[in-house]
Amino acid sequence: HLVARGSCLGFVMVEAGKGVTPKQGATDCGCVAGLKSTVSPKTARPASGTGKDKSPPTDSKVLHGIKWPALVRSEAQLAAYRALPCRADDVFVATYPKCGIHEVHKLCQLILKVETLMFPAEFNKWEEGPVWTGKGAGKGDLPHADIPAPRIVATHVPVDFLPSEIAKLGCRVVYVVREPKDVLVSYYHDSQANPFIETPPSLEAFAEAFIAGASLDVEASTKGGAYLGGYATHVLQYVKAARAGGRMYLMSYDRLLENPHTEIAGLAKFLGVDLDAEGLEAVRSQGSFASMQALPTKEEEDEIGSGAFVNLKDEGSPQIQWGKGERGYGEKTLGAEQARRADEAFGAAFASISDVFAMVPAQDNAGRGWFSCSLRIPGPIPCCAGRDASLK
């Protein structure tokens, strides 16, 4: 069985105990340097057509004009997710891939004191019914309706593909953004290790596809190779929905790293919880990136019966491969011209929402680049103020 313990700070699922070998070139090109793992970067797939190929799918699909990771298989799957029954107290944590979904999801768990689902919801086989495949007792299916409240659901879908009942019932949505160059490099590293993402031939090729996602034309972004309509459109559509009255809380992963107490307090207020100083520090400590890396292994989870992560049938066995989860890694990794082009492209795309990415000045940024944290925050950002009300 494959138990998906997802992290947009970096995760990989690989077949264990089956002679897994690194993907050709993955270990000598530096693409996984600095990642913490005890397993090889990517599964070696057996020849197709043998009837015994149970390794994860890697081929992306274009559905509704958008490029999706391999676990999104059909329009029927997306339609079934869109029709997923919701409750008013459901919480959805949404991000573009590699923007901190794992950590923010964990913060929501700690604040609300629940243990609930992490696996990106759109990957589940909803077309087979409103159940989490292989999630129940004895690895059977778990009805979505049986998950105790409040359910905290992680997702990467563009805002138009969220379950439609979210707006009707007023479910809370937490949306997280991250500095684009850091997203780019983290996503590239993940593509080298994650068997559900096509592997690009080089960082340069992946950067071209990601920067194509700065276009506000979804068709152009998709033709350029960007996932999910491109990072720019993904962010802008969520911000537009929030400012049009959606019950959404916009977070910056970069601000969370720089000023965790303030950001966690705002998130808690949005979730309807007032944390005292002791509670705030407990959430910060247990929800830190270092704490995420120290979480139990799958084998330990089986022993302690955590049951927090989704299981897919007959598709291997997982381990985790972590990225760095730090700010500034993208600029350090990209060439100067790539970094300049990314800043220029996304700076133009996000010019109207610069407050969403704004940071308190940092001593080490020297004012470099549009996303270099040189923008000053003049008090709480309206769309990120942690209000439990419609945002306009």
Side-chain angles (χ1 to χ4, degrees), residues 47-354:
S48 60
T50 64
K52 297 181 180 180
D53 184 357
K54 294 183 183 295
S55 55
T58 59
D59 298 331
S60 62
K61 291 181 174 62
V62 175
L63 305 169
H64 299 290
I66 293 174
K67 182 179 179 181
W68 299 85
L71 284 177
V72 177
R73 304 168 182 83
S74 67
E75 291 186 359
Q77 181 184 13
L78 290 171
Y81 178 49
R82 176 81 170 144
L84 185 70
C86 296
R87 302 178 188 138
D89 58 0
D90 284 344
V91 176
F92 286 78
V93 180
T95 76
Y96 192 80
K98 316 311 297 178
C99 289
I101 198 169
H102 189 273
E103 188 167 353
V104 174
H105 187 278
K106 181 63 175 180
L107 292 175
C108 292
Q109 286 183 321
L110 293 168
I111 291 168
L112 295 174
K113 298 181 178 179
V114 295
E115 175 97 351
T116 187
L117 300 173
M118 173 62 227
F119 190 51
E122 63 274 15
F123 292 171
N124 190 50
K125 299 177 181 178
W126 298 114
E127 70 276 22
E128 298 180 3
V131 299
W132 290 89
T133 305
K135 178 64 176 62
K139 308 304 182 186
D141 295 341
L142 173 66
H144 189 57
D146 289 355
I147 299 173
R151 298 177 296 202
I152 308 173
V153 181
T155 188
H156 293 312
V157 297
V159 68
D160 290 342
F161 291 87
L162 287 172
S164 59
E165 286 195 351
I166 289 177
K168 176 182 177 181
L169 299 177
C171 306
R172 292 180 174 90
V173 178
V174 179
Y175 185 72
V176 190
V177 302
R178 188 182 184 188
E179 197 278 327
K181 297 188 298 297
D182 288 345
V183 179
L184 189 166
V185 171
S186 183
Y187 209 174
Y188 170 70
H189 284 170
D190 196 41
S191 73
Q192 296 293 311
N194 189 334
F196 301 103
I197 301 175
E198 295 174 349
T199 303
S202 65
L203 174 59
E204 290 73 18
F206 189 85
E208 287 298 317
F210 188 85
I211 293 173
S215 170
L216 303 186
D217 182 331
V218 172
E219 182 178 357
S221 294
T222 301
K223 286 183 177 179
Y227 280 97
L228 301 176
Y231 185 44
T233 296
H234 200 282
V235 171
L236 287 165
Q237 287 179 341
Y238 271 93
V239 173
K240 180 180 178 180
R243 292 179 172 172
R247 197 179 187 187
M248 296 186 181
Y249 184 81
L250 304 180
M251 286 187 71
S252 160
Y253 179 67
D254 303 280
R255 283 197 300 271
L256 178 63
L257 293 181
E258 289 294 303
N259 197 353
H261 289 91
T262 298
E263 296 302 310
I264 293 169
L267 174 62
K269 184 177 180 181
F270 175 73
L271 296 176
V273 177
D274 289 323
L275 293 174
D276 58 20
E278 182 179 355
L280 187 61
E281 174 56 24
V283 171
R284 184 210 63 79
S285 176
Q286 296 176 54
S288 68
F289 185 75
S291 295
M292 296 295 95
Q293 288 180 306
L295 285 171
T297 65
K298 173 60 186 69
E299 290 72 20
E300 290 169 337
E301 283 177 353
D302 283 343
E303 291 177 3
I304 64 178
S306 170
F309 305 102
V310 172
N311 186 314
L312 293 178
K313 297 176 180 177
D314 300 325
E315 293 188 28
S317 176
Q319 295 292 339
I320 303 298
Q321 187 158 12
W322 291 86
K324 289 178 176 292
E326 65 181 33
R327 290 181 53 237
Y329 185 55
E331 181 149 348
K332 294 175 185 176
T333 305
L334 293 171
E337 177 60 17
Q338 288 175 328
R340 183 197 65 78
R341 290 183 59 234
D343 279 339
E344 184 177 276
F346 287 101
F350 293 143
S352 64
I353 60 165
S354 59

